Amino acid sequence: MLKQSGLGIAITGSGSATPAAVVDNHRLATLVETSDEWITTRTGIKSRRLATPEESLSAIATSAAKNAIAMAGITPADLDLIILATSTSDDLFGSACKIQAELGASRAVAFDLTAACSGFVFGLVTAAQFIRTGVYQNVLLIGADILSRWVDWSDRRTCVLFGDGAGAVVLQANESDRLLGFEIRSDGTQNNCLNLAYQGQSKELIDGVSIAQGTYQPITMNGKEVYRFAVQKVPEVIEKALFRANLTVEEVDWLLLHQANQRILDAVANRLKIPTHKVISNMAHYGNTSAASIPIALDEAVRQGKIQPGDIIATSGFGAGLTWGAAIFQWAR
Ligand code: UT7
């Protein structure tokens, strides 16, 4: 089953970090017209963590990264590459270099990657290309988002869904290849379903030359369309990745989806005929943490001893873009 080559890839460490402040559904119901009952039955979310003004994206991402590096048994100086998957950098020029400095990973090249809630899976595939081509051996991949800074807190259709956090993995060159298959996709024709878009006011700079200056506007979402998209495309892309891995659905030990909505997880598992006990879910505690949701859930399941060495994990991210993707990997530690 495993491809034998000197240019394989293995995930050798995971880590996560979430802000301390917890806001449960009851407290949200004091902010917008909603209820614990509605949020729980429609989404499975019970509470979420929110970053305080003092907590930066790079700080929580660095904490998650340190935990992943420790589990992998390497030092920051061993890192060749740092990829930060995020839509909510502290700085529009990117936050990966700040994390590189905070870690003291002086040899590593660092950059941000944006693919919304698919960012972790897209980052995994990107990291794999650098390792498989023999360019780099040790890669840190972080998925981190602070969407609370970009949610419209007066819009009950979106504000109840999101939370903040960071998760990270270390990927290393490995004798046998533990990334067994993947497939990533984009469809920009549905771009207007989920946006955090820039809006500028036209301003005449000099005679005959106008520019647009403004800011990013809070998240807008067509929930029904995104739901429909996820339930249709996620099973398809997982099946494609499994085909590439030459594995059957029955051989999957864990289904690890982007934690957007429990109903999406249930519907995807149902379509793939994957039993509930194989579905990893922690969104009740964190809500949708965008690019961070998969690595946070992975790290929790590993540290709880649920995921064991040799287990086959089918993971899938999906979201704005629209973007979606799946990766099948074997836990190596
Ligand atoms: O990372 C990807 C990010 N996005 C997603 O994954 C979102 C995917 N979509 C979803 O998860 C679901 O569509 C939602 C959870 C967002 C919404 O669930 P729904 O079952 O599609 O509800 P709906 O939008 O059809 O709204 C049903 C009703 C509406 O009332 P009316 O028009 O029927 O009277 C809404 O106004 O529920 C109302 N509603 C709420 N009520 C209480 C919407 N949000 C809330 C709320 N509390 N928070």
Side-chain angles (χ1 to χ4, degrees), residues 32-35 38-39 42-43 116-118 147 155-162 194 221-230 258-264 288 290 318-320:
V32 286
E33 200 185 327
T34 189
S35 64
W38 191 96
I39 303 170
R42 299 285 178 132
T43 72
C117 301
S118 307
L147 280 178
D155 177 9
R156 67 176 184 174
R157 291 165 304 138
T158 52
C159 76
V160 301
L161 303 175
F162 298 102
L194 187 46
M221 181 178 77
N222 182 333
K224 282 211 179 309
E225 276 306 313
V226 176
Y227 188 95
R228 242 193 302 272
F229 143 76
H258 164 50
Q259 306 283 297
N261 183 326
Q262 187 61 45
R263 283 158 55 213
I264 295 178
N288 177 346
S290 194
F318 51 89

Side-chain angles (χ1 to χ4, degrees), residues 39-109:
I39 303 170
T40 305
T41 53
R42 299 285 178 132
T43 72
I45 297 164
K46 300 292 285 181
S47 64
R48 68 284 297 145
R49 303 294 185 91
L50 301 182
T52 61
E54 292 73 35
E55 286 173 303
S56 65
L57 182 96
S58 53
I60 58 169
T62 302
S63 297
K66 282 181 178 167
N67 294 334
I69 291 166
M71 191 190 284
I74 62 169
T75 68
D78 296 319
L79 292 172
D80 302 304
L81 170 65
I82 298 170
I83 300 175
L84 171 65
T86 188
S87 306
T88 53
S89 271
D90 297 323
D91 183 326
L92 203 49
F93 286 150
S95 290
C97 295
K98 186 108 186 288
I99 295 165
Q100 181 237 28
E102 281 171 17
L103 288 172
S106 49
R107 279 195 328 107
V109 65

